[in-house]
Structure formats: structure tokens, C-alpha cells
Amino acid sequence: MEYDASVRRLPVYMLIDCSSSMNGDAIEAVYQGFRNLTTKLSNDPNTCDIVWFSIIAYDSVPRQLFPLSPIGHYKGISLDIGGSSNMGRALKFLLNDRIVNEVRKQTKERKGDWKPLVFLMSDGKPSDEWESVKQDISTKMNIVACGVGADADIDSLKKITDLVVMLKDMTQETFDQFIDFLSSTMTTASQRSEGRSDKLMIEPKYNKIVLS
């Protein structure tokens, strides 16, 4: 299928910690979240044509499980758990490999894509150094850290971004609000083409998500 190259895309990257510490309820929340989120966004006229979606998993090494594609193309993935949490290596892979090669730059003939939106889903316990790319993180992407699990290290996540939410439990009410938060954030980002501010905020209505 051909896509209109003149349409300004919103690249959305899900950066998923698949290290050993994410085993159990945490990774199950990720699975369920992808199913609900992609279905919701595919049926939303504000996002279905603009949001392009990719999944990058990491443990000791990062790997792209789903290449940047229209949100409606997502059909499910398999996540293998194990190894260490090399978050720094994953962020460098995202910045220097995927964003460089997949996000369209502005030219004289067309507008470039919107600034990529990245959701980092982790328990916040990196095993390697990531600070060397901190400046690139702030200038080349909008990043939201999603702490998964009751033992998530919120202080580590706050060093990466000011936008941090916590998914501490897996109750249906909490999870439904978390999916609504992800969807709302993407919708807000995609509406920047209508002249709205590109500054992302976390609305106080998400009271079931423990905010940092």
C-alpha cells in the first residue's frame, strides 16, 4: 500500500525493558497494553493516519521487533524475558540507528516528521551508562517514562525525563486509565499540526496512575 509522503507523521516508539526483572505481571501489562492501545488508536480519526508505531525491546542488547509502520498494521509481537537492563545501549540504538534512518527530515520539497514520541516502559533499573546521550534525548525526542511494577525505581526514571508515570498495580481501573493516558498523549502530540503547543503535559485527571 502506498502512503502520501506529504503527510507529516508522528513517529511513536515503544522502548520496552525485557530484562529479567520485568518478568511476570509487568510484562503481561505490556502485552495487554499494546493490544488495547493499537486497537483504540487505529479507530481514532485523529491518529490513524498520522501515528506511525514501532516497538524496540531491550535486555542485554536492543532489537526492533516492529518497524516504524502505520498504527493499524500492528498484529502482535512476542517478548522474550531475560538478561540485563542495558538501557543506555537501547537509547543509543534508538537515537543513532532507528530515528536517524526512519524519521523523515525536512527538505525544500516537504515538511519533516514531528519530533518522535518515545514511551520508555521499565522498572527503572538500568545496568549500564546512559547519561552520555542525555542531551540528545532532550533535543531529539519527547520521552515519557512509564514505571512498571510496585518496585519501579522512580528516581532513576526522573533523571531521564520530567514526564514520569507509574503503573504500580494491575487492576482493571488503573490499567484502563493507563491506556487512556497513552492514547491521549499520542493524540495531543498528533494535533500539533493544528497550531497547538508541542509541550507535553500529564493531566491531573489520571489519578489512578501514581505520578512522580
Side-chain angles (χ1 to χ4, degrees):
M1 181 181 296
E2 294 292 329
Y3 295 95
D4 186 352
S6 67
V7 173
R8 200 173 188 185
R9 308 177 305 175
L10 173 66
V12 175
Y13 289 91
M14 309 297 293
L15 191 60
I16 312 302
D17 186 347
C18 289
S19 61
S20 299
S21 61
M22 287 285 288
N23 197 27
D25 287 346
I27 208 65
E28 282 302 314
V30 173
Y31 275 124
Q32 184 179 341
F34 286 158
R35 287 194 295 270
N36 295 352
L37 178 65
T38 54
T39 298
K40 184 173 183 177
L41 292 175
S42 296
N43 295 321
D44 184 342
N46 292 316
T47 56
C48 63
D49 294 327
I50 297 175
V51 171
W52 282 51
F53 183 76
S54 176
I55 297 173
I56 296 172
Y58 71 92
D59 40 49
S60 301
V61 296
R63 53 208 176 273
Q64 188 175 42
L65 302 182
F66 187 73
L68 193 67
S69 306
I71 188 73
H73 284 198
Y74 178 76
K75 302 299 182 184
I77 59 167
S78 176
L79 295 172
D80 297 322
I81 302 301
S84 56
S85 179
N86 285 348
M87 184 186 296
R89 188 171 181 179
L91 288 167
K92 291 171 186 175
F93 172 74
L94 172 61
L95 285 162
N96 301 327
D97 190 315
R98 295 299 81 210
I99 288 179
V100 166
N101 291 310
E102 293 178 338
V103 177
R104 296 171 182 163
K105 297 179 176 63
Q106 184 164 330
T107 67
K108 293 181 179 179
E109 291 75 28
R110 70 180 183 195
K111 293 182 178 180
D113 289 334
W114 297 111
K115 193 174 185 179
L117 176 59
V118 178
F119 292 98
L120 169 64
M121 301 185 71
S122 172
D123 59 9
K125 301 171 183 176
S127 303
D128 65 346
E129 180 275 333
W130 62 269
E131 288 84 353
S132 62
V133 294
K134 187 169 184 177
Q135 183 62 33
D136 285 338
I137 291 172
S138 62
T139 59
K140 295 182 179 179
M141 65 176 73
N142 286 314
I143 184 167
V144 180
C146 307
V148 183
D151 296 326
D153 187 343
I154 195 72
D155 291 332
S156 291
L157 294 175
K158 287 173 68 175
K159 292 177 182 177
I160 300 170
T161 175
D162 292 334
L163 295 174
V164 180
V165 298
M166 286 287 290
L167 186 62
K168 293 187 70 173
D169 60 64
M170 304 300 162
T171 63
Q172 192 61 49
E173 185 179 8
T174 298
F175 200 76
D176 287 347
Q177 193 171 104
F178 182 65
I179 295 303
D180 184 69
F181 161 73
L182 295 179
S183 174
S184 176
T185 303
M186 291 188 200
T187 300
T188 299
S190 70
Q191 290 172 340
R192 287 177 292 180
S193 58
E194 300 174 10
R196 304 184 186 188
S197 171
D198 65 353
K199 183 175 177 60
L200 297 179
M201 304 289 291
I202 298 176
E203 297 181 38
K205 70 176 182 178
Y206 297 109
N207 61 326
K208 286 297 180 181
I209 301 174
V210 180
L211 304 181
S212 60

